[in-house]
Amino acid sequence: MTKKHPRWPMLLQVEGRAIRTQQMIDRLKVDPLQLVRIKRGETYRRVHEACLQCRSADTCRNWLQSQSKAPAQAGFCPNLEV
């Protein structure tokens, strides 16, 4: 049985952003283990929190789907400096 409308749409949004956060970490060649070690995981938590609150989700999704490897083109990302 399939449903046309997910029962928990916010869950799908949060899950999508978590996946994109990891994709961005991978695309920018950030070592996730080093990121987790900074300030005992606080920086990693802040990265995910910033992604959850980001207003550039569509831009992020499009950039991740593109073939662009240039980090400078990800200037929309609030986590780029991290």
Side-chain angles (χ1 to χ4, degrees):
M1 180 174 164
T2 60
K3 294 181 181 180
K4 291 183 180 180
H5 301 287
R7 186 172 178 187
W8 301 101
M10 183 59 83
L11 173 64
L12 296 177
Q13 181 179 354
V14 170
E15 183 178 40
R17 286 178 182 245
I19 290 168
R20 280 194 301 280
T21 303
Q22 189 57 50
Q23 289 172 336
M24 184 66 83
I25 287 169
D26 294 342
R27 175 71 70 89
L28 297 176
K29 298 185 184 332
V30 173
D31 182 344
L33 292 177
Q34 284 186 332
L35 185 59
V36 168
R37 289 182 185 125
I38 299 171
K39 297 183 182 178
R40 297 182 178 217
E42 177 62 20
T43 300
Y44 186 77
R45 184 197 65 75
R46 287 179 46 211
V47 162
H48 278 275
E49 183 178 312
C51 186
L52 285 171
Q53 297 175 5
C54 182
R55 296 184 182 266
S56 300
D58 291 335
T59 304
C60 180
R61 185 181 309 104
N62 292 336
W63 187 80
L64 287 168
Q65 290 174 352
S66 76
Q67 298 302 315
S68 176
K69 302 290 184 198
Q73 292 179 349
F76 58 86
C77 182
N79 288 316
L80 189 59
E81 285 187 31
V82 176

